[in-house]
């Protein structure tokens, strides 16, 4: 089976467009059509439904896409390992992170890593939790540092540190520093992250757990936007303490005692259990182990699913 044909098929299947796939694969559109036809003939099944305006996967195409991704990931891993054998070191790491650790925890780690390993190719991206976990599962990223747990059971997760969450507001906000009644919590304006983020899932689960039905909810994308909204006096936010340490010390924000247990989560490093780590990835794992040593006897989590 021709690997280039598989890559072309994956491009068409993901982009749902022959011309776009041709551009992505740097070949002509007729060449894409020819490769797909050859692949369909080889596997003995129609993989794509084609109309004038739309490309969709058949049932066989869906199965083929899943297997093609596995095959190509295995090929990429094989090439990476062979490069490591030939050169003595695999000098590349593709690291991802969800928003909170990506903005407030990882950058200083990257500075230490870059100083210790200046010749390694270091690639870093911040994205939504679902996106980052999916890319690690597809081997588009070697590993990721995320808040909470991965959203797919394909990945293994190791805890690095506890991510303490706090409720904060601007000092000028007219909410008692110690709220005493459920009605007070339901009537204030809550500042929340966007749908699909781990922080939003945790906040919604916290509301549900304590049977709170907030009357007002303001949505902002990313931890920085939530923090700025709280500083502006728009309401209360439950955030990672690492994102507001400076603001709390400078008294631009103040903690709010909501008289209820706040959500609890850890920061994890996640990767694929079948992933071979070359020298660059192994160096990052070693740095994480030195920076975040586990307490004596602490369990190594093999986590599944995301934080409730």
């Amino acid at each position: 089976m021709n690997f280039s044909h598989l890559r072309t098929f994956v491009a068409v299947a993901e982009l749902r467009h022959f011309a776009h796939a041709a551009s992505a694969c740097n070949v002509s559109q007729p060449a894409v059509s020819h490769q797909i036809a050859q692949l369909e003939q080889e596997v003995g099944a129609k993989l794509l439904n084609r109309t004038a305006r739309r490309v969709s996967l058949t049932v066989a195409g869906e199965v083929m896409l899943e297997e093609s991704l596995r095959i190509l990931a295995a090929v990429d891993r094989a090439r990476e390992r062979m490069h490591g054998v030939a050169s003595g070191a695999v000098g590349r790491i593709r690291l991802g992170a969800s928003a909170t650790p990506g903005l407030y925890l990882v950058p200083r780690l990257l500075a230490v890593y870059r100083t210790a390993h200046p010749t390694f190719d270091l690639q870093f991206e911040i994205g939504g939790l679902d996106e980052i976990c999916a890319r690690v599962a597809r081997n588009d990223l070697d590993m990721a540092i995320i808040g909470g747990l991965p959203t797919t059971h394909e990945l293994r997760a190791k805890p690095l540190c506890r991510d303490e969450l706090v409720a904060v507001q601007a000092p000028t906000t007219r909410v008692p520093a110690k709220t005493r009644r459920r009605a007070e919590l339901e009537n204030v304006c809550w500042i929340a992250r966007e749908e699909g983020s781990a922080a939003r899932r945790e906040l919604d689960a916290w509301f549900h757990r304590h049977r709170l039905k907030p009357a007002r909810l303001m949505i902002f994308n990313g931890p920085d936007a939530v923090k700025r909204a709280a500083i502006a006096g728009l309401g209360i936010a439950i955030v990672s303490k690492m994102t507001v340490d400076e603001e709390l010390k400078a008294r631009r924000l103040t903690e709010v005692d909501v008289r209820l247990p706040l959500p609890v989560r850890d920061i994890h490093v996640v990767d694929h259990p079948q992933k071979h780590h070359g020298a660059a990835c192994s160096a990052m794992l070693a740095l994480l182990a030195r920076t975040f040593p586990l307490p004596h006897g602490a369990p190594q989590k093999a986590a599944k699913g995301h934080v409730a």
Side-chain angles (χ1 to χ4, degrees):
M1 190 172 290
N2 192 311
F3 293 135
S4 65
H5 291 182
L6 292 182
R7 294 189 187 279
T8 299
F9 167 69
V10 168
V12 174
E14 292 184 338
L15 298 173
R16 303 299 171 97
H17 199 285
F18 274 66
H20 293 169
S23 177
C25 297
N26 198 27
V27 297
S28 67
Q29 187 170 337
V32 170
S33 299
H34 180 66
Q35 290 182 26
I36 296 299
Q38 286 187 319
L39 184 60
E40 288 179 330
Q41 183 177 6
E42 184 174 2
V43 300
K46 185 177 181 180
L47 302 175
L48 299 168
N49 295 312
R50 307 170 182 85
T51 65
R53 297 183 178 180
R54 185 179 180 185
V55 175
S56 61
L57 291 170
T58 64
V59 173
E62 292 177 353
V63 174
M64 192 65 190
L65 176 60
E66 181 180 344
E67 294 303 323
S68 296
L69 290 171
R70 293 180 187 275
I71 292 169
L72 294 174
V75 170
D76 288 342
R77 286 194 293 271
R79 286 175 175 167
E80 187 177 62
R81 294 188 71 177
M82 291 306 99
H83 175 71
V85 170
S87 66
V90 178
R92 183 192 71 177
I93 177 171
R94 302 164 300 174
L95 179 67
S98 59
T100 296
L103 291 171
Y104 291 93
L105 182 66
V106 179
R108 58 178 176 267
L109 293 173
L110 298 184
V112 175
Y113 183 89
R114 171 60 71 211
T115 300
H117 308 284
T119 63
F120 286 160
D121 178 15
L122 173 60
Q123 301 172 19
F124 176 60
E125 297 184 42
I126 297 175
L129 179 64
D130 292 352
E131 173 198 358
I132 289 295
C133 289
R135 294 189 63 190
V136 175
R138 293 199 306 264
N139 197 38
D140 290 341
L141 294 171
D142 297 308
M143 65 183 73
I145 298 175
I146 62 172
L149 297 175
T151 54
T152 171
H153 66 276
E154 294 183 59
L155 303 180
R156 62 184 172 188
K158 178 181 178 182
L160 297 177
C161 61
R162 175 59 49 86
D163 186 21
E164 183 182 353
L165 301 179
V166 294
V168 297
Q169 66 177 11
T172 56
T173 304
R174 295 180 180 179
V175 178
K178 293 187 177 181
T179 55
R180 298 179 182 278
R181 299 192 303 270
R182 180 179 300 274
E184 290 176 322
L185 293 178
E186 292 185 333
N187 289 333
V188 300
C189 179
W190 287 88
I191 303 168
R193 286 280 301 277
E194 69 278 9
E195 292 280 356
S197 65
R200 178 60 182 275
R201 291 190 185 112
E202 290 155 7
L203 180 61
D204 288 344
W206 185 75
F207 284 146
H208 178 75
R209 188 180 308 120
H210 297 291
R211 300 180 181 179
L212 293 174
K213 298 180 180 179
R216 292 177 294 164
L217 200 66
M218 297 189 71
I219 313 301
F220 292 86
N221 288 346
D224 273 357
V226 168
K227 176 172 65 175
R228 291 179 183 276
I231 292 172
L234 294 178
I236 296 178
I238 294 179
V239 297
S240 168
K241 191 172 183 181
M242 73 174 73
T243 69
V244 294
D245 266 337
E246 293 182 5
E247 288 73 18
L248 288 172
K249 291 176 183 177
R251 298 185 179 180
R252 292 193 294 271
L253 287 173
T254 184
E255 287 193 44
V256 182
D257 183 357
V258 295
R259 298 297 182 90
L260 292 171
L262 293 175
V264 175
R265 72 176 186 178
D266 288 336
I267 301 294
H268 289 85
V269 57
V270 298
D271 66 353
H272 197 285
Q274 297 178 359
K275 172 73 177 177
H276 167 75
H277 290 308
C281 293
S282 297
M284 177 59 72
L285 291 173
L287 173 61
L288 293 174
R290 292 193 303 271
T291 307
F292 305 105
L294 286 173
H296 180 70
Q300 300 280 339
K301 294 184 182 178
K304 294 185 178 182
H306 56 72
V307 171

